[in-house]
Amino acid sequence: MAEKAPGGVQSVERVFELLELITDAGGDVTLSELSSSTDLPLPTIHRLLRTLVTLGYIRQLPNRRYALGPRLIRLGEAANKQLGALARPQLQSLVERLGETANMAVLDSDMVMYVAQVPSLHSMRMITEVGRRGYMHATGMGKAILAELDDETVRGIVTRKGMPTPTPKSIGDVESLLADLKLIRSRGYSIDEEEQEIGVRCFAIAIPNAPTPAAISVSGPVSRVDEAFADRAVPLLREAALAISQDLNKS
């Protein structure tokens, strides 16, 4: 259940509790599933859902399940733009100090979505369109975010989305992914070892205590982004991730 805000408006708290429960369930739920996940009375849940459906923030599917609605997309896009803008100074600093492209991404509908990028000045550099989505298991930032989640949640994400292998080096099964995530947790950062694109290596770190799961990375050609680069990049990534976290959690 969502934590109650002191002095909050109860009906607003209840609405956001339902939206978060639907999100945590993967985007769609039945009325009975919602009822079993909250202490709210069933008539209250039904009334709130009916209002949210009318407003377009929730849809009722033909199979009677409730799903997140299209009006949330505009809110999410605006929030992601603000998130990217907040992180941009830290990404710019990474590029200036390391010389390679810096990125930020968030978990969005079981995918990793890029919300900010500062490109390298090299002629050979990594460019990814802001707003682009990628599979969690095949990207450095996606794996950094997955490593923050429990194994059951990870299994749910890859089961729903699948595990395509963009390159021969991509991870293609759940057990191998879980083994890699265990290593990431102990090491403190993830590596995309040409798993998204041959010839490209990426180092990524999750942003601690982010309001939505998020990560930052630096990426570039394997000829430049090597072990010596990692020795310089990882401490700077940690420093930037902490600074972004502090900015996100300012009251």
Side-chain angles (χ1 to χ4, degrees):
M1 181 186 299
E3 183 179 348
K4 302 303 182 186
V9 178
Q10 188 180 58
S11 58
V12 175
E13 291 176 349
R14 288 173 168 178
V15 163
F16 280 99
E17 180 181 351
L18 293 181
L19 290 173
E20 290 180 3
L21 286 171
I22 296 171
T23 301
D24 291 343
D28 68 89
V29 294
T30 64
L31 186 60
S32 61
E33 287 169 344
L34 276 178
S35 180
S36 66
S37 300
T38 177
D39 295 330
L40 295 177
L42 188 60
T44 299
I45 297 172
H46 193 262
R47 186 181 73 252
L48 293 172
L49 289 175
R50 203 165 54 235
T51 301
L52 289 167
V53 168
T54 300
L55 294 173
Y57 292 107
I58 284 179
R59 297 178 295 135
Q60 187 167 25
L61 304 176
N63 61 4
R64 308 300 292 173
R65 295 177 72 87
Y66 289 91
L68 299 177
R71 290 197 69 180
L72 289 172
I73 296 173
R74 183 170 63 91
L75 298 181
E77 288 177 345
N80 284 332
K81 286 180 182 178
Q82 290 299 314
L83 188 61
L86 180 147
R88 189 175 178 84
Q90 293 298 329
L91 301 184
Q92 182 67 52
S93 176
L94 287 171
V95 174
E96 291 171 356
R97 298 167 79 176
L98 294 169
E100 302 296 344
T101 298
N103 308 279
M104 180 178 183
V106 299
L107 174 61
D108 183 79
S109 299
D110 291 342
M111 302 283 278
V112 62
M113 183 174 74
Y114 291 75
V115 296
Q117 181 179 87
V118 177
S120 164
L121 296 179
H122 290 290
S123 57
M124 183 185 296
R125 58 188 179 180
M126 305 304 106
I127 298 293
T128 301
E129 182 182 358
V130 171
R132 173 182 169 271
R133 286 174 170 81
Y135 287 93
M136 300 289 289
H137 70 284
T139 62
M141 289 189 289
K143 292 195 297 180
I145 292 171
L146 288 179
E148 298 290 296
L149 308 176
D150 60 75
D151 286 356
E152 183 180 354
T153 301
V154 172
R155 287 181 186 275
I157 289 172
V158 297
T159 297
R160 288 189 292 270
K161 288 298 180 181
M163 296 185 69
T165 51
T167 81
K169 296 191 175 185
S170 304
I171 298 173
D173 65 274
V174 178
E175 296 309 319
S176 296
L177 174 63
L178 293 177
D180 194 28
L181 296 182
K182 184 177 180 180
L183 177 60
I184 291 167
R185 292 180 189 116
S186 65
R187 188 174 55 203
Y189 62 92
S190 70
I191 307 173
D192 169 359
E193 196 69 75
E194 301 183 82
E195 296 161 49
Q196 180 66 24
E197 183 178 347
I198 290 295
V200 177
R201 184 176 288 127
C202 166
F203 295 95
I205 285 182
I207 297 172
N209 303 313
T212 188
I216 56 173
S217 72
V218 286
S219 57
V222 294
S223 58
R224 297 197 304 258
V225 179
D226 53 15
E227 188 174 342
F229 178 87
D231 291 340
R232 294 187 295 122
V234 171
L236 295 179
L237 277 168
R238 287 200 179 104
E239 181 184 306
L242 181 59
I244 293 170
S245 174
Q246 290 170 343
D247 286 342
L248 286 173
N249 289 288
K250 283 180 181 175
S251 56

